[in-house]
Amino acid sequence: MKVSDLKINNMKNPVGYLMERLSCSWKVTETKAKDQKNVIIEVSLDEDFENICFVKEGALLCQTGEVLELSLEPYTRYYTRVTVTTDLDETNTSGVSYFETAKQDEDWIGKWITTKDDDRFHPTFSKSFSLKKTKNIKSARLYISGLGLFSALLNGQKVGQEVLTPYYSNYHDEVQYLTYDITGNLKEENKLDVSLGNGWYKGRFGLRERKENFGSKFLMIAEVRVVYEDGTVETIGTDESWFYKGSDTQASDIYDGEIINHLLWEGKENSSETAVFTSAEGTLVARYSLPVLEMEELAVKEVIHTPAGETVLDFGQNFAGYVAFICRQPKGTEIILDFGEILQHDNFYNENYRSAKSQFTYISDGKERIVKPQFTFFGFRYVRVTGWEGELKAEAFTGKVLYSQMEITGHIETDHKGVNQLFSNTMWGQKSNSIDFPTDCPQRDERLGWTGDAQVFSGTASYNMDTAAFYNKFIHDLRTEQKKLDGILPGVIPVFEPNAAIFSSIWGDIATFLPTVLYEHFGDKSALKVYYPMMKDWVDKITKEDKKRGQKYLFDYGNQLGDWLALDGRTEQSMKGGTDDYYIASCYYAMSVAKTADAARILGYTEDEAIYRDLHENISKAVIKEYFSVTGRLCIDTQTGYIVALYSGIYKDKNKIIEGLKSRLYKDCYKIKGGFVGAPIMCRVMAENGLEEEAFYFLLQEGYPGWMHCINLGATTIWERWNSVLDNGLISGVLMNSLNHYSFGSIVEYLYRDVAGLKAIEPGFKKVLITPLMNQKLKFMNTSYESPYGTYRVEWEIKKEGNVHVHVEVPFGCSAVIGLPFYEGEVDEVTAGTYEYDYKPATDLRLLYTRKTLFKDMMQNPKALEVIDRISPLLQHFLGSGDEEFLNESLATLEGMSFLGFSPDMIENLAMELTKLAEE
Ligand code: BGC
């Protein structure tokens, strides 16, 4: 038996983080035991646990988040370990992990410094300092921040591995500082060099070409704090004894890229200037961003020589980060890298980046170096290289994939190539849009914290990766804005013009949806408690504005973004879809209120719970009154309309909604119409409301619009629009068209929840439902999910002889209710362990077609065509003419077409044979 994976606030060994709460979690593995019998959490001031300062013991301590009631000292490293005794009486203690506080309320000895007013170049601030007693150093830390971005070298070595520090925050309010352990890097004579870039702070950032949103000067602050064995402390802080010079960074910008010019100062005076004291507007706070690191590397797949005569590197994968290259170029060589997502007419292209220049320029001084930018990133698959002297070898270039340090927790593999690619595309979409905070896209002049995109994707994201600490950071940023906006959770952060904050459902509903997703996945009540005021303020704001208008219990105002990029809008390129904005908003208002009530229940706020339950009932009634007919038909006859009704549970008669949806799909020739609201939840809602077959159809069908369609056109990430790229390979427009927008990738949650069938019924996946769905188009599916308790595995296979095999693993401390499809045995309730099932399904899952299969799905199968040909030349005639309406009929709908000559006998004969066809 092993106790492992100790985390504090969902992070392993966090150093220098803001600790708004202190919550400890752990896992138990390698045991046949089912549950904990006793747990002891110990916190000590030393690694040997001789100075224990906190102990908590009990049988019911929560593995996914037990609060440590400990008052923390600044500058202190605490060591933790957990001892668990299981119900089999095995006892084991975890390894020692730690967390370390930052400065807390301690005053800064270092002061903010900047350059003289006229010095507009990118500076490097430097300080040489000597330490006399290096042998006696017990520990040393660097506390540091720099705006826009900083990169520090201590004695010529980069401090830490992180990039784009100190990350994004609304710098008007807060500036994060980082803590680095530099104990092993100090010498008697030391030099600290800190270079600065523009970043989000003073470069271009936000809509409408904005720059210098937070400030116009480079500034930095630092403190080296050395603690000697004898307890004495020496601190070297930023002050006027620091000097600065111009660095070789000629330009830097998140959108536009970077210029590193090693000849910038050649022949020009670049004298050492004394730093000037300044102040920063925002308060210095201990970091709350996860590290952004070079998480993966990609090799060049192909060097392409285009018809236009360009040399283009193809990494084979769209991603976010940058390229590092080995440079042995002669002095004066200027190398330019341009970044793009797609080739057009086989040539380099990036017009869809709009005004973002996305360019990296390097001017060599002739020295051999590994070159990469420091203060920018790009979203790309292709890189055009200009100016390279001599032979360009693919091996000289490496793609560095940047994202916030999150563990990958989900895995899906099937026998269907397209589904595997969809999973991969979504994972890459998540990586690319997780550089410090969730963004809409990583490439064009946007890369903003759009809350709607994050909201719809957060469920998928939290199966894919351990997102708890990442979203905790985002929620911190959201809350900072919300507090200034009287409760509005804005459509996008940062907000530069408070009066113009977007007050929209779906986007703002992240206030309640994200905490719910996090509680479901990570089961930490202490986090929910921190998030609760955000939930409450959001729904209260909607209510407050509604009351001003006489309280209709509807969210029928505000600047609603609606079913963004749906295909049933005024045109297929329209931003808004055809579903009534206020209907959507009001249903989400109800859901947000229900989620707030749920959180209130969990947190024991009974009064709040009662208020929100009551409000929920009133909103539901108002929605039914406004948007439903007297007999219960939904008056919003769109796919998204029905999907939202089923998702929110607001209807008079569920059957009428399902029938309405079915008939809408029929009328739409089974083409997806939904945008950011409808499409992400479409398959999930269908699968959970008796339309399993329809859900599989939309997942797997290859026509436009659809998930497989994008993949067949070569997508390696999720596109912003269903028609981002047209069938002829041309991009459909450049106004707003990214190939790396993850919203439509939210379908992956349906793969986990419904096709693998793994859903939490108790927070943190302590108890789950395992109810897979099977379909002959997928022969097997292997899914694993690393929950905070440990690994769940659901693997199913339809075997050649027709039997179904299912393998389930449930981790320690957990239980599962297993209900298998077409299984005649009982529903199983199991505890931790491994379970195998082999059975003959009540329906033969090898059969290809049912009476509901659309004819267009049979058209590739010669056997089906032969049957149709033989039994019904009439049907063959209609199908052969390629009539779209007819291709979207099925045996079931043919029954109503006797007027065309389809007799019941003919249909029965067709059914007899078609529904018996199986794959060989
Ligand atoms: C972004 C979207 C966002 C939308 C809302 C777009 O520019 O890229 O993903 O949610 O605007 O207005």
Side-chain angles (χ1 to χ4, degrees):
M1 186 267 258
K2 221 174 109 187
V3 185
S4 62
D5 245 25
L6 251 62
K7 288 183 185 165
I8 293 290
N9 296 350
N10 306 94
M11 293 176 284
K12 282 189 184 161
N13 302 330
V15 171
Y17 281 80
L18 186 66
M19 303 272 177
E20 288 169 310
R21 61 194 172 92
L22 201 60
S23 163
C24 174
S25 61
W26 62 94
K27 280 180 190 161
V28 178
T29 53
E30 296 173 25
T31 175
K32 291 215 155 38
K34 305 284 186 191
D35 220 332
Q36 302 177 148
K37 199 161 131 190
N38 194 46
V39 182
I40 308 168
I41 304 173
E42 292 164 288
V43 182
S44 163
L45 290 164
D46 66 302
E47 227 170 330
D48 302 323
F49 285 79
E50 277 162 14
N51 289 300
I52 293 180
C53 57
F54 178 81
V55 180
K56 193 166 189 178
E57 181 168 358
L60 299 175
L61 299 196
C62 179
Q63 263 182 267
T64 53
E66 192 59 46
V67 174
L68 310 181
E69 299 86 0
L70 183 67
S71 66
L72 298 172
E73 296 295 322
Y75 306 123
T76 307
R77 185 166 285 207
Y78 294 88
Y79 297 86
T80 52
R81 66 181 182 197
V82 174
T83 303
V84 175
T85 304
T86 67
D87 52 12
L88 289 179
D89 282 326
E90 311 145 293
T91 299
N92 213 335
T93 302
S94 68
V96 175
S97 37
Y98 57 82
F99 62 94
E100 185 178 309
T101 54
K103 290 172 64 73
Q104 307 213 125
D105 296 329
E106 294 291 295
D107 286 339
W108 279 81
I109 289 170
K111 300 280 175 261
W112 283 105
I113 53 174
T114 186
T115 58
K116 297 193 171 97
D117 278 347
D118 292 344
D119 290 339
R120 307 298 293 175
F121 48 75
H122 280 61
T124 300
F125 288 88
S126 303
K127 168 83 181 173
S128 299
F129 58 96
S130 36
L131 298 169
K132 286 174 200 72
K133 308 181 282 182
T134 35
K135 282 201 194 75
N136 303 323
I137 292 178
K138 189 174 161 219
S139 70
R141 298 287 181 269
L142 171 64
Y143 300 96
I144 181 169
S145 192
L147 294 171
L149 301 173
F150 74 84
S151 173
L153 297 181
L154 177 59
N155 299 325
Q157 300 288 320
K158 180 167 163 71
V159 180
Q161 306 289 318
E162 298 181 44
V163 295
L164 304 173
T165 52
Y167 306 114
Y168 165 75
S169 46
N170 190 326
Y171 308 96
H172 291 311
D173 304 284
E174 285 177 343
V175 180
Q176 301 185 60
Y177 66 89
L178 276 69
T179 304
Y180 293 103
D181 182 352
I182 51 167
T183 315
N185 310 71
L186 290 171
K187 303 174 183 168
E188 272 175 32
E189 295 304 323
N190 299 283
K191 186 157 180 262
L192 187 58
D193 299 295
V194 182
S195 299
L196 300 178
N198 287 322
W200 297 285
Y201 179 79
K202 69 191 275 303
R204 286 208 298 141
F205 184 48
L207 301 167
R208 287 180 232 124
E209 308 272 310
R210 306 184 58 129
K211 66 178 197 181
E212 299 191 346
N213 289 299
F214 299 100
S216 56
K217 297 276 295 176
F218 289 109
L219 54 167
M220 70 151 295
I221 188 166
E223 230 170 70
V224 172
R225 186 172 187 274
V226 184
V227 181
Y228 293 98
E229 293 291 355
D230 64 5
T232 53
V233 175
E234 190 177 350
T235 307
I236 297 110
T238 33
D239 57 22
E240 68 281 86
S241 72
W242 284 58
F243 291 98
Y244 69 90
K245 271 183 153 191
S247 77
D248 288 352
T249 306
Q250 188 175 324
S252 71
D253 191 88
I254 299 282
Y255 296 158
D256 292 333
E258 195 165 319
I259 304 174
I260 297 178
N261 180 357
H262 290 305
L263 303 180
L264 183 62
W265 296 99
E266 201 182 53
K268 282 187 225 146
E269 200 191 339
N270 186 10
S271 60
S272 268
E273 298 288 340
T274 316
V276 181
F277 281 131
T278 185
S279 59
E281 194 188 344
T283 313
L284 274 166
V285 292
R287 68 176 304 164
Y288 52 90
S289 279
L290 279 178
V292 173
L293 299 170
E294 293 174 0
M295 294 289 286
E296 296 175 41
E297 288 190 348
L298 290 177
V300 173
K301 266 227 162 119
E302 194 188 345
V303 179
I304 301 171
H305 300 285
T306 70
E310 309 148 314
T311 303
V312 174
L313 313 175
D314 176 7
F315 285 91
Q317 174 63 55
N318 201 356
F319 68 103
Y322 42 68
V323 169
F325 60 88
I326 306 166
C327 182
R328 298 190 186 97
Q329 299 277 318
K331 184 172 172 182
T333 316
E334 178 173 323
I335 295 157
I336 299 175
L337 307 185
D338 287 292
F339 296 80
E341 295 181 288
I342 188 170
L343 300 180
Q344 293 286 271
H345 305 292
D346 298 328
N347 292 317
F348 179 81
Y349 175 89
N350 69 4
E351 272 171 49
N352 62 323
Y353 289 23
R354 302 193 302 214
S355 76
K357 204 167 165 194
S358 273
Q359 189 176 69
F360 177 60
T361 302
Y362 182 74
I363 297 165
S364 167
D365 56 0
K367 286 194 188 140
E368 181 173 332
R369 280 203 183 84
I370 294 182
V371 175
K372 60 184 180 186
Q374 294 194 84
F375 301 121
T376 191
F377 65 91
F378 309 97
F380 64 102
R381 167 176 169 172
Y382 299 96
V383 183
R384 177 174 62 193
V385 185
T386 317
W388 191 269
E389 302 260 326
E391 193 193 348
L392 182 150
K393 289 202 174 128
E395 307 78 71
F397 295 83
T398 309
K400 301 276 187 181
V401 183
L402 292 186
Y403 53 95
S404 290
Q405 190 179 32
M406 287 183 272
E407 185 193 342
I408 292 186
T409 47
H411 186 72
I412 291 174
E413 194 196 345
T414 71
D415 67 302
H416 191 291
K417 267 193 173 168
V419 172
N420 296 346
Q421 187 68 45
L422 173 63
F423 176 68
S424 163
N425 290 5
T426 304
M427 192 63 102
W428 278 103
Q430 182 169 356
K431 290 173 185 172
S432 315
N433 286 296
S434 300
I435 294 182
D436 190 45
F437 57 98
T439 52
D440 54 338
C441 57
Q443 76 295 71
R444 69 174 177 226
D445 52 357
E446 203 153 350
R447 314 186 204 181
L448 295 170
W450 283 101
T451 49
D453 309 46
Q455 186 271 107
V456 302
F457 191 68
S458 58
T460 297
S462 303
Y463 274 104
N464 280 346
M465 295 188 197
D466 179 346
T467 56
F470 177 72
Y471 282 137
N472 182 63
K473 190 268 170 178
F474 191 48
I475 291 177
H476 180 112
D477 292 341
L478 293 176
R479 184 70 181 145
T480 306
E481 304 283 359
Q482 188 192 26
K483 280 187 186 160
K484 294 187 285 187
L485 297 170
D486 189 34
I488 295 178
L489 201 306
V492 62
I493 65 162
V495 175
F496 295 121
E497 294 156 48
N499 294 332
I502 299 171
F503 185 12
S504 173
S505 73
I506 313 294
W507 276 251
D509 289 304
I510 193 169
T512 59
F513 278 63
L514 183 53
T516 307
V517 165
L518 294 178
Y519 187 60
E520 175 181 47
H521 277 268
F522 305 105
D524 190 341
K525 224 180 181 174
S526 69
L528 187 66
K529 196 170 172 180
V530 173
Y531 306 150
Y532 184 73
M534 171 177 71
M535 305 175 82
K536 193 172 153 59
D537 286 357
W538 167 246
V539 294
D540 288 354
K541 173 69 181 172
I542 305 172
T543 308
K544 192 166 107 188
E545 293 304 318
D546 180 40
K547 277 188 178 156
K548 282 190 198 159
R549 300 155 355 105
Q551 197 156 29
K552 293 184 349 201
Y553 294 105
L554 296 174
F555 188 4
D556 57 353
Y557 56 89
N559 28 26
Q560 302 294 340
L561 296 167
D563 194 10
W564 191 253
L565 301 188
L567 291 172
D568 54 4
R570 295 173 62 215
T571 73
E572 283 218 339
Q573 287 300 102
S574 296
M575 292 189 182
K576 271 202 192 180
T579 306
D580 188 292
D581 288 350
Y582 297 149
Y583 162 73
I584 296 175
S586 300
C587 290
Y588 273 77
Y589 172 32
M591 282 191 275
S592 270
V593 168
K595 286 179 196 300
T596 310
D598 289 345
R601 176 183 50 77
I602 295 160
L603 297 168
Y605 305 150
T606 36
E607 267 176 44
D608 274 15
E609 191 197 351
I611 292 170
Y612 291 121
R613 294 265 180 251
D614 190 50
L615 180 59
H616 177 259
E617 213 183 303
N618 282 321
I619 302 167
S620 304
K621 279 189 198 150
V623 169
I624 288 176
K625 189 167 156 219
E626 181 68 36
Y627 299 104
F628 286 71
S629 76
V630 185
T631 54
R633 270 169 190 263
L634 177 59
C635 303
I636 314 281
D637 184 24
T638 63
Q639 291 182 18
T640 296
Y642 295 108
I643 289 165
V644 167
L646 291 169
Y647 191 49
S648 61
I650 301 179
Y651 38 69
K652 270 190 163 174
D653 176 349
K654 188 171 176 177
N655 282 331
K656 284 204 170 140
I657 302 300
I658 292 175
E659 287 313 312
L661 174 58
K662 283 203 226 164
S663 101
R664 184 69 255 168
L665 292 171
Y666 176 78
K667 285 183 268 184
D668 290 338
C669 280
Y670 301 95
K671 286 192 158 73
I672 299 172
K673 296 288 180 191
F676 279 25
V677 177
I681 52 171
M682 172 179 194
C683 290
R684 166 181 171 183
V685 165
M686 287 183 176
E688 292 170 18
N689 287 283
L691 302 176
E692 298 89 347
E693 257 196 64
E694 284 81 351
F696 273 116
Y697 168 80
F698 284 105
L699 166 71
L700 298 170
Q701 70 85 26
E702 311 216 344
Y704 165 78
W707 285 276
M708 292 304 133
H709 184 71
C710 305
I711 287 167
N712 291 340
L713 286 174
T716 62
T717 37
I718 304 292
W719 297 341
E720 180 171 20
R721 294 172 178 269
W722 290 116
N723 56 8
S724 280
V725 179
L726 304 173
D727 284 6
N728 59 10
L730 295 180
I731 202 138
S732 64
V734 293
L735 202 64
M736 198 183 76
N737 198 355
S738 118
L739 304 187
N740 203 350
H741 242 71
Y742 54 39
S743 293
F744 291 150
S746 308
I747 188 180
V748 166
E749 188 173 6
Y750 150 76
L751 296 179
Y752 285 111
R753 285 176 62 90
D754 303 297
V755 186
L758 178 67
K759 304 184 195 54
I761 44 179
E762 278 181 26
F765 283 65
K766 178 152 184 61
K767 185 167 186 183
V768 303
L769 202 59
I770 297 180
T771 48
L773 294 175
M774 294 175 196
N775 182 290
Q776 51 77 29
K777 286 181 189 148
L778 296 183
K779 295 194 178 44
F780 74 82
M781 182 183 201
N782 294 341
T783 305
S784 64
Y785 170 58
E786 186 64 26
S787 80
Y789 285 94
T791 318
Y792 278 98
R793 238 176 257 288
V794 181
E795 302 181 351
W796 58 255
E797 184 186 357
I798 303 165
K799 299 212 267 187
K800 278 213 173 75
E801 68 283 6
N803 263 25
V804 163
H805 183 254
V806 182
H807 168 96
V808 170
E809 286 174 33
V810 178
F812 177 86
C814 297
S815 63
V817 178
I818 306 177
L820 301 175
F822 312 108
Y823 180 58
E824 276 156 356
E826 300 273 295
V827 168
D828 232 359
E829 284 226 38
V830 304
T831 48
T834 301
Y835 304 89
E836 308 285 343
Y837 301 83
D838 211 299
Y839 63 96
K840 193 163 195 60
T843 292
D844 190 340
L845 290 164
R846 293 167 304 175
L847 300 181
L848 290 171
Y849 310 120
T850 67
R851 280 173 175 265
K852 289 199 294 184
T853 307
L854 303 181
F855 292 129
K856 68 181 177 194
D857 263 9
M858 303 180 182
M859 299 308 284
Q860 312 302 328
N861 183 347
K863 279 198 174 165
L865 294 180
E866 186 277 319
V867 172
I868 294 170
D869 229 8
R870 176 162 43 80
I871 301 180
S872 176
L874 180 65
L875 179 58
Q876 196 273 338
H877 166 76
F878 277 110
L879 296 177
S881 70
D883 180 79
E884 205 189 346
E885 282 205 30
F886 231 89
L887 288 166
N888 282 287
E889 303 290 0
S890 63
L891 289 170
T893 54
L894 227 48
E895 280 164 13
M897 294 187 191
S898 53
F899 60 92
L900 285 176
F902 294 106
S903 67
D905 279 358
M906 184 197 286
I907 297 170
E908 215 38 53
N909 287 340
L910 282 166
M912 284 269 287
E913 293 203 32
L914 289 172
T915 60
K916 296 240 160 56
L917 290 178
E919 218 167 281
E920 311 243 285

